[in-house]
Amino acid sequence: MVGSKPAIPWLKGVVLTVCLVLFIVPFVILILNSFKENQAITSNPLSLPLRLEFTNYKNAFEQMNYMSAFSNTLVITVVSVVIVSLLAAMTAHYFVRNNTKFNQYTFLIMVASMIIPFQAIMIPLVKIYGSLGLLDNKWSLIYMYLGFGSSLAVFIYHGFVKSIPAELEEAAMIDGCTRTQTFFRIVFPVLAPTTATIAILNVLWIWNDYLLPSLILVKPEELTLPLSTYSFQGTYTSDYGPLMAALVLTILPIIVVYLFAQRYIIQGVMQGSIK
């Protein structure tokens, strides 16, 4: 038994290394192919590029109208995440502090709605919004993200709000704070780790989402980054080199954000798990 103990850290290291390799390999293949010609990609996608084709990135940047798609994706993601986080926190706080039968049933309905797959309602959704003339608008898309993302956010916030002593809010109100001031000065700052976790989940989901924007957005000037990558797909052929470069340009902003904010992201997740 004593001799087997040193093997445990070694085994963990091997497992983590294997998982790291399996996670990184697809990104390495993507980056390598983004510098290759179509013929080199189709003949051997795992080979190293004979020469770096930077024209793939130039063509991708121009063909996908990168700056317009980037600004659309950024606006949709940031506005959606801020609205979902704020309204979900306020809703969860109201449900916890006003524990009536109506609020209990409403909360249960919101939680139950999470089991409904989006594919089951996407056709009626598009038909209804199309009849109202609300399609092909990024603000309609933001409104839909609010609807689809609120249930999980309220569910997560609900458990954390219950752990906040009501005496803190009562003391703030005795000192002269209104309910709104109490929420924003006392409750919401305490929920910062939970907000970080919810923001991470929603940013990854909304930034990389393809299906919902493909149903709502049609005009070229309204397309998001995932939608703009489809411009390299033809009926019979695909321009793989620029397509790979476009995919790199699409995921690059998220990687940059993570590199600069990883300390705060990990801290938020760890604090949220401890709570």
Side-chain angles (χ1 to χ4, degrees):
M1 295 296 293
V2 177
S4 62
K5 289 184 179 180
I8 296 178
W10 177 82
L11 182 60
K12 287 183 179 180
V14 172
V15 172
L16 291 176
T17 302
V18 171
C19 292
L20 177 64
V21 171
L22 292 176
F23 183 80
I24 290 181
V25 163
F27 294 99
V28 174
I29 295 174
L30 174 65
I31 294 174
L32 291 178
N33 287 325
S34 67
F35 292 104
K36 293 158 62 174
E37 297 178 346
N38 279 353
Q39 184 178 0
I41 296 175
T42 54
S43 61
N44 188 359
L46 300 180
S47 64
L48 295 175
L50 298 178
R51 65 175 183 272
L52 301 181
E53 292 290 340
F54 290 99
T55 54
N56 288 338
Y57 284 90
K58 180 178 180 295
N59 295 335
F61 190 90
E62 295 175 352
Q63 187 171 340
M64 69 189 298
N65 197 5
Y66 183 81
M67 293 308 300
S68 175
F70 175 81
S71 61
N72 291 335
T73 308
L74 183 64
V75 169
I76 292 171
T77 302
V78 172
V79 175
S80 299
V81 169
V82 170
I83 293 177
V84 169
S85 301
L86 181 60
L87 295 186
M90 297 173 69
T91 303
H93 178 262
Y94 178 78
F95 284 164
V96 172
R97 297 302 183 230
N98 299 273
N99 194 25
T100 63
K101 288 292 184 181
F102 177 79
N103 288 343
Q104 291 177 5
Y105 289 132
T106 304
F107 175 70
L108 291 176
I109 292 173
M110 293 187 69
V111 174
S113 67
M114 291 191 295
I115 68 174
I116 302 175
F118 171 73
Q119 291 77 5
I121 61 174
M122 66 181 184
I123 295 178
L125 181 72
V126 173
K127 185 176 180 180
I128 293 172
Y129 276 81
S131 63
L132 296 175
L134 297 176
L135 296 182
D136 206 13
N137 188 323
K138 66 167 66 74
W139 302 108
S140 298
L141 184 61
I142 291 172
Y143 178 73
M144 292 183 187
Y145 280 133
L146 172 62
F148 289 116
S150 294
S151 297
L152 177 61
V154 170
F155 175 73
I156 296 175
Y157 272 124
H158 191 272
F160 282 83
V161 172
K162 288 194 297 185
S163 66
I164 300 176
E167 290 78 7
L168 289 176
E169 301 175 43
E170 295 173 357
M173 295 181 69
I174 291 174
D175 290 337
C177 289
T178 63
R179 290 186 179 274
T180 303
Q181 292 174 333
T182 301
F183 175 79
F184 284 104
R185 294 182 180 182
I186 305 299
V187 179
F188 200 59
V190 176
L191 294 174
T194 312
T195 303
T197 303
I198 292 173
I200 295 165
L201 295 174
N202 286 327
V203 166
L204 294 176
W205 161 48
I206 296 173
W207 186 276
N208 296 310
D209 188 26
Y210 179 87
L211 182 56
L212 184 55
S214 68
L215 298 173
I216 305 301
L217 304 177
V218 178
K219 296 179 182 177
E221 60 271 17
E222 295 285 346
L223 298 183
T224 60
L225 285 175
L227 290 182
S228 61
T229 59
Y230 192 72
S231 60
F232 303 99
Q233 297 286 339
T235 305
Y236 301 103
T237 59
S238 297
D239 204 358
Y240 291 111
L243 174 59
M244 298 297 175
L247 293 175
V248 173
L249 292 174
T250 300
I251 65 176
L252 185 61
I254 289 294
I255 296 176
V256 172
V257 170
Y258 178 78
L259 290 177
F260 280 98
Q262 59 178 327
R263 181 166 64 90
Y264 303 101
I265 293 173
I266 295 173
Q267 181 182 1
V269 173
M270 290 299 294
Q271 290 182 5
S273 63
I274 293 173
K275 289 254 184 179

